[in-house]
């Protein structure tokens, strides 16, 4: 393995607007995942894109994080998609309860 | 380098069989998976469990560990033996890389610099031995950065380093270490992302390079809770401050604020300080939640005052009817 160092100048980050949306193909590219797998997740209700037809689907940026989480849970804990959907739902519920407990 | 007791990490006995190990590994993996367990310590725990299982489930590695692991503990490195073992690994080619199902390889989020295994593991089984086969493409950089809440208010700069595979002219894959200095603008919300133009994967066939997205985590704060761009502060107040009202000094991530407590406030009352949350595009608010704290009646003066108050016609259990 040949390691080269390559120091780059300061890059200015731009905050991604929450209103920004990505298409199925962009999401597939960012997550390195076949579109079919993303469609399966949407069918399971794990992802909720705007738009009626698949070609018009627009996903919020938070979908990237969610997809990665789904993949990790599937891979690491060997849960199927329905199981992941339930797991995510319960985790969100716990997070809500914990947040309301702190207040 | 610390010796790792893989048996105690997995909570199994030395003579437990493979089925028992698997059962125990699955149980612990469910418990400590960082996506399921929000305790920051769970991530390291999960990695340790994965490493322990990767060694113990492989009869060959388990044997080597049983035989030489104790010597590491005693401080003897058994160099000859170790090299012999590593050569044996190499001669089997890429085989040892693929078959690993222990699965604790995360895309960016948890693995950081990509070195999941401990120094102990590396010393014993060599660099890269038994690494999980599932790996994110290196050029799909998906980093996350943690910053304190105060820096979400002011903006800050961070440096990240990652390795990205690139094809050299002779066709071999070279790993290039890349360091980016990133300016994080003020106003990042909890779970927010920033975009770096042109720092993502290079495009195919001379296409434009993609963008790179970095997730910004805001560290847990000892005073404040964060929800999106809103910041919550539980504020202890004395009973008379709540009853009579008055001005108090309140900490905020942007500095101390003066806050008017309206008279007749009750415990749990939420006061909104508009625009003093995270200064994002739509600035968040600071919510101050009053928590009335009673002074202890541990001296004569306090006791007297409480006795004085007991003369008030105050009965908090009216609605019980008893």
């Amino acid at each position: 393995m040949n390691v080269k160092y390559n120091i780059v100048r300061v890059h200015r980050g731009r905050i991604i607007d929450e209103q920004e949306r990505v298409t199925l193909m962009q999401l597939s590219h960012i997550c390195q995942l076949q579109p079919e797998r993303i469609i399966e997740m949407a069918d399971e209700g794990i992802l909720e894109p705007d738009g009626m037809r698949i070609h018009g689907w627009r996903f919020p940026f938070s979908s990237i994080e969610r997809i990665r989480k789904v993949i990790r849970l599937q891979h690491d804990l060997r849960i199927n998609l329905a199981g992941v959907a339930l797991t995510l739902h319960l985790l969100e519920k716990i997070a809500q309860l914990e947040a309301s407990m702190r207040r | 380098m610390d010796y790792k007791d893989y048996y105690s990490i997995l909570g199994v006995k030395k003579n437990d069989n493979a089925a028992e190990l698997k059962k125990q590994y699955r149980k612990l993996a469910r418990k400590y998976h960082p996506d399921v367990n929000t305790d920051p310590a769970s991530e390291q725990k999960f990695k340790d469990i994965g490493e322990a299982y990767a060694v113990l489930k492989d009869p060959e590695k388990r044997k080597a560990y049983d035989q030489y692991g104790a010597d590491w503990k005693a401080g003897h490195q058994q160099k000859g033996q170790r090299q012999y073992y590593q050569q044996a690994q190499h001669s089997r080619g890429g085989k040892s890389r693929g078959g690993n199902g222990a699965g604790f390889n995360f895309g960016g989020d948890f693995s950081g610099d990509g070195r999941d295994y401990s120094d102990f593991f590396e010393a014993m089984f060599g660099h890269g031995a038994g690494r999980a086969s599932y790996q994110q493409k290196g050029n799909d950089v998906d980093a996350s950065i943690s910053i304190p809440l105060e820096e979400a208010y002011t903006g800050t700069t961070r440096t990240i380093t990652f390795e990205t595979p690139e094809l050299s002219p002779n066709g071999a894959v070279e790993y290039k270490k890349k360091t980016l200095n990133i300016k994080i603008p003020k106003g990042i919300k909890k779970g927010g992302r920033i975009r770096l133009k042109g720092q993502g994967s290079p495009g195919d066939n001379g296409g434009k390079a993609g963008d790179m997205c970095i997730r910004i985590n805001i560290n847990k704060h000892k005073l404040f809770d964060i929800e999106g761009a809103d910041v919550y502060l539980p504020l202890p107040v004395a009973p008379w401050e709540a009853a009579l009202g008055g001005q108090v000094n309140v900490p905020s991530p942007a500095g101390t604020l003066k806050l008017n407590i309206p008279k007749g406030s009750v415990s749990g009352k939420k006061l909104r300080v508009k625009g003093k949350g995270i200064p994002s595009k739509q600035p968040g608010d600071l919510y101050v939640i009053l928590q009335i704290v009673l002074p202890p009646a541990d001296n004569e003066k306090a006791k007297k005052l409480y006795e004085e108050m007991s003369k008030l016609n105050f009965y908090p259990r009216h609605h019980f009817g008893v």
Side-chain angles (χ1 to χ4, degrees), chain A residues 2 4-5 8 10-11 13-14 16-18 20 30 65 68 71-72 76 78 91 102-103, chain B residues 26 33 35 103 106 109-110 134 140 142 175 177 181 183 193-195 199 215 225 227 281:
Chain A
N2 193 351
K4 282 181 187 163
Y5 289 86
V8 193
V10 175
H11 295 269
R14 289 262 303 278
I16 291 170
D17 198 312
E18 264 162 43
E20 273 187 62
I30 294 169
E65 213 56 55
R68 297 231 157 93
I71 294 170
R72 287 193 300 259
D76 298 338
R78 301 156 31 99
L91 286 174
R102 279 198 303 270
R103 261 159 235 159
Chain B
R26 295 253 169 91
H33 195 284
D35 282 320
F106 297 102
D109 277 14
F110 298 117
Y134 164 79
D140 172 32
D142 169 42
Y175 284 83
K177 199 162 248 183
N181 294 307
K183 199 168 163 55
R193 290 175 162 273
I194 59 169
R195 183 208 294 272
Q199 292 301 325
R215 193 170 119 100
D225 270 333
E227 197 65 60
K281 203 168 152 198

Side-chain angles (χ1 to χ4, degrees), chain B residues 218-235:
Chain B
I218 300 176
N219 296 339
K220 233 183 154 79
H221 197 284
K222 64 182 199 301
L223 293 181
F224 305 102
D225 270 333
I226 312 149
E227 197 65 60
D230 293 333
V231 176
Y232 290 81
L233 171 73
L235 181 77

Side-chain angles (χ1 to χ4, degrees), chain B residues 41-267:
Chain B
S42 72
E43 185 185 327
Q44 189 54 45
K45 209 137 187 181
F46 185 70
K47 283 179 183 168
D48 288 344
I49 297 160
E51 179 178 313
Y53 186 58
V55 171
L56 297 184
K57 73 168 186 149
D58 181 331
E60 227 177 292
K61 287 204 189 95
R62 186 173 179 178
K63 209 171 131 198
Y65 174 76
D66 287 346
Q67 220 169 335
Y68 309 119
D71 287 323
W72 257 275
K73 197 180 191 176
H76 302 296
Q77 291 255 331
Q78 294 273 348
K79 215 169 178 199
Q81 290 291 355
R82 190 180 84 207
Q83 280 176 348
Y84 173 79
Y85 186 80
Q86 286 182 16
Q87 268 168 15
Q89 288 276 313
H90 279 297
S91 64
R92 293 196 311 179
K95 228 172 139 188
S96 66
R97 291 177 74 94
N100 183 294
F104 48 97
N105 197 295
F106 297 102
D109 277 14
F110 298 117
S111 58
D113 57 3
R115 277 180 48 134
D116 288 315
Y117 289 130
S118 67
D119 291 344
F120 174 73
F121 182 97
E122 301 282 2
M124 191 149 177
F125 299 108
H127 186 72
R131 224 162 254 280
S133 58
Y134 164 79
Q135 278 186 328
Q136 296 267 354
K137 277 197 178 170
N139 54 356
D140 172 32
V141 183
D142 169 42
S144 69
I145 297 175
S146 293
I147 59 168
L149 176 62
E150 286 79 3
E151 291 184 4
Y153 274 69
T154 56
T156 183
T157 309
R158 283 288 185 282
T159 303
I160 58 166
T161 304
F162 52 94
E163 277 181 0
T164 151
E166 268 173 35
L167 226 51
S168 72
N170 56 19
V173 175
E174 286 182 347
Y175 284 83
K176 271 195 181 163
K177 199 162 248 183
K178 207 170 169 186
T179 299
L180 287 181
N181 294 307
I182 300 160
K183 199 168 163 55
I184 302 168
K186 71 170 188 179
I188 196 93
K189 292 185 203 175
K190 187 181 183 182
R193 290 175 162 273
I194 59 169
R195 183 208 294 272
L196 296 179
K197 273 246 180 291
Q199 292 301 325
S201 344
D204 292 333
N205 303 321
K208 237 172 48 183
D211 298 339
M212 175 169 158
C213 288
I214 301 173
R215 193 170 119 100
I216 312 292
N217 298 316
I218 300 176
N219 296 339
K220 233 183 154 79
H221 197 284
K222 64 182 199 301
L223 293 181
F224 305 102
D225 270 333
I226 312 149
E227 197 65 60
D230 293 333
V231 176
Y232 290 81
L233 171 73
L235 181 77
V237 289
W240 48 89
E241 288 173 326
L244 308 174
Q247 200 176 60
V248 292
N249 285 336
V250 171
S252 92
T256 307
L257 301 171
K258 287 204 185 306
L259 182 73
N260 276 319
I261 296 177
K263 63 179 178 190
S265 294
V266 293
S267 210

Side-chain angles (χ1 to χ4, degrees), chain B residues 267-280:
Chain B
S267 210
K269 188 182 175 71
K270 222 193 251 181
L271 301 172
R272 185 171 78 138
V273 189
K274 203 168 182 293
K276 293 291 180 190
I278 295 173
S280 48

